[in-house]
Amino acid sequence: MKSFRELPFIKYFTRNLAIATLLIGMSVFNYGFDMAGYNTIQAMDPFIERFGTYNPTTKKFAISPKNLSLLNSLPRITFGLGIVMGGLLGERFGRRPVYILMLLICEIGTIISYFAKNFTQILAGRMLNQMYIGMEGWLVPMFHAEIIPAPIRGAVVVGYVFNHIFGSFIMSCITFKTSQWDTDHCWQIPVAVMFILPTIALALCWFVPESPRWLLRRGKDEKALKMMRYIYGSNPEYAPEQEMALLKASLEIEEEKGTWKELFVGTNLRRTSIIFFIQSFNQLTGQAFASVYGTIFIKSLGTINPFAFTLISNGLGCIAPFANFFLIEPMGRRNMYLCFGTLSAASLIALGALGLRSPTFGVKAGIVSMSIIYPFFYIMSFGGMAPVTGAEVPALRLRDKAAIVGWSTQNVMAFLVTFTVPYLLQAPYAALGSKVGFIYGGFCVMALLWAWFCFPELRGRSLEEIDEMFQLKLPTRQFKAWKSSDPDSVGARITNMEGHTGHAGHASQEPNEKRIDVDHEEEIGA
């Protein structure tokens, strides 16, 4: 019987790598807290009475479509600012300082939101939280991709989506309970929960190392070697000097200098276009309709408790990213995108078709069902594959800038979708209701057509080998089965090193190769 350390997936981790992976990924829970929290609390009566206006005709409080749109779309501006700040600061000062800064911003935004007394204050608090989410969106997938071995990189990076969705589920459980209260605590408690994890992460930030790949790109070889020993050094077979030599050789081969212009010339233009389209379709396929306005939409149908719907939807949604862990490496990024994207498109088109029928209880039940099923398939396709691909595709020296472009694209598209959804759903505007499924289903079809011709398979490759494949201008269909004609190429050797014995950072021990002894775990120094 295999020991726990020899289990698939687990065997690639050292203790320090596991701790760092957990702490870096922990921050994403607040992304889910924010999305599910505001999705639900904006449908709570005390929240509406606090931040809405009284309508003497209906004798009810309501948040106007304008303010509802502002609350959910205007924070996208600070989300975008967070992406740019994270990228510029991360490129110059490293990943770890950005990690600490974004946690501090989150805590400030949460405090403002909790004590908000008017719409301007709650909007300002959420805008700060969205700045934090923009920074962690830029940071987390790329940070994980730079420190995780190739055989499990996809599973770990797609964990970004799992943490987001599981955070949404936790928040849904909380709001389901607090929605029954008739005081401001019904929305303040969910907001206060957003303070917990950043506090824990800040207290443990000393265990988060700097990215060795970033340090090497900045010419800080000694610090890079120290971080490599810290992350992988508990493995007695690990040879950090050998891995560092290969990583440096890969950087020397690159022609890029790391300028913005290089993102749009030569083979980098292809990579930038992949990032642009996959991040665009991440939003244009309608996730904001489900994640931001889902509770309000279901409340308007008058079928089931909208807070119970959110709980069920997010609970089912947790299964999808969990399944991603097991499917993304054996099935591949491209196949998951095409297969589950097709099911996502079908559920949205079915949602739109139901909107054409008379609104009987059965039809409304069908709409509710499609509203639950769609996010499930979305997470396994358009939602789950975008952060993974965005972290794998960029050239090594352009990773920071490419991440800014990718997440900025996603943010602009999210702003457009989030801003327009209330006007598409409600009267006296378009009043489409569930017929919006035709719009987002159409974008799903466009995404699938793009993926069929342009989305390459990158599973099991080191970042350096992916770089070689793009430089060779391989056709999309050849990425999956391609093998280097030179087994001693830098990219191939790094791929073999990362997956040789099934442990992070193992170096292959050739017969005549002298083993390099290294210290076990060591502390992170200045």
Side-chain angles (χ1 to χ4, degrees), residues 9-10 45 60 77 84-85 88 182 212 298 312 322 345 360 365 377 388 395 404 433 466 472-474 489 500 513 524:
F9 188 81
I10 299 297
D45 291 335
K60 292 182 179 180
I77 295 176
V84 175
M85 283 179 56
L88 296 179
D182 57 3
I298 295 300
I312 295 170
F322 187 70
T360 63
F377 293 129
V388 178
I404 293 176
I466 290 172
L472 290 173
K473 301 180 180 179
L474 295 177
S489 70
H500 175 62
E513 183 179 42
I524 301 179

Side-chain angles (χ1 to χ4, degrees), residues 83-102:
I83 294 169
V84 175
M85 283 179 56
L88 296 179
L89 294 175
E91 185 175 22
R92 181 170 182 178
F93 300 107
R95 282 72 171 110
R96 193 166 177 269
V98 173
Y99 176 77
I100 295 172
L101 176 62
M102 73 184 193

Side-chain angles (χ1 to χ4, degrees), residues 20 61 72 103 125 129 131 139 150-151 216 219 246 266 317 326 333-334 338 361 375-376 392 397 405 444 446 479 516:
F61 283 88
N72 292 294
L103 295 172
N129 278 334
M131 178 183 291
L139 175 72
L216 286 174
L246 288 174
F326 300 97
R333 289 88 161 123
R334 174 184 166 88
L338 291 171
F361 183 84
F376 180 84
E392 291 179 331
R397 293 187 187 274
V405 171
C444 288
M446 292 172 60
F479 271 74
I516 304 174

Side-chain angles (χ1 to χ4, degrees), residues 402-420:
I404 293 176
V405 171
W407 284 96
S408 295
T409 299
Q410 191 243 52
N411 182 54
V412 170
M413 299 303 173
F415 176 85
L416 293 174
V417 175
T418 306
F419 186 84
T420 56

Side-chain angles (χ1 to χ4, degrees), residues 28-189:
V28 186
F29 277 81
N30 260 36
Y31 185 3
F33 289 170
D34 178 273
M35 295 298 290
Y38 280 92
N39 182 11
T40 50
I41 66 176
Q42 64 190 0
M44 295 179 181
D45 291 335
F47 185 90
I48 295 171
E49 291 172 8
R50 170 67 64 182
F51 302 111
T53 55
Y54 183 74
N55 187 328
T57 303
T58 61
K59 297 183 180 180
K60 292 182 179 180
F61 283 88
I63 300 177
S64 67
K66 176 184 175 181
N67 281 354
L68 195 62
S69 180
L70 289 176
L71 182 63
N72 292 294
S73 61
L74 200 58
R76 282 288 171 176
I77 295 176
T78 48
F79 182 101
L81 180 60
I83 294 169
V84 175
M85 283 179 56
L88 296 179
L89 294 175
E91 185 175 22
R92 181 170 182 178
F93 300 107
R95 282 72 171 110
R96 193 166 177 269
V98 173
Y99 176 77
I100 295 172
L101 176 62
M102 73 184 193
L103 295 172
L104 291 171
I105 291 174
C106 180
E107 294 200 326
I108 295 171
T110 301
I111 291 172
I112 294 174
S113 298
Y114 181 84
F115 291 104
K117 299 300 181 184
N118 56 55
F119 180 79
T120 301
Q121 292 171 348
I122 194 70
L123 177 61
R126 195 182 188 197
M127 289 179 74
L128 281 175
N129 278 334
Q130 285 285 311
M131 178 183 291
Y132 150 79
I133 293 171
M135 294 178 76
E136 63 89 4
W138 173 87
L139 175 72
V140 173
M142 181 174 60
F143 202 169
H144 274 158
E146 290 182 345
I147 65 174
I148 298 296
I152 58 169
R153 187 179 59 242
V156 172
V157 177
V158 83
Y160 177 86
V161 180
F162 176 79
N163 292 346
H164 168 200
I165 299 301
F166 192 62
S168 296
F169 174 69
I170 293 173
M171 181 57 74
S172 297
C173 294
I174 295 169
T175 54
F176 178 73
K177 177 62 178 179
T178 64
S179 65
Q180 303 168 27
W181 304 346
D182 57 3
T183 67
D184 280 342
H185 287 114
C186 73
W187 62 266
Q188 286 179 320
I189 296 301

Side-chain angles (χ1 to χ4, degrees), residues 452-471:
W452 180 260
F453 293 103
C454 302
F455 187 11
E457 180 55 67
L458 303 175
R459 64 176 172 175
R461 313 282 188 173
S462 68
L463 299 178
E464 289 72 20
E465 188 171 25
I466 290 172
D467 197 54
E468 289 183 9
M469 295 165 77
F470 276 106
Q471 290 180 9

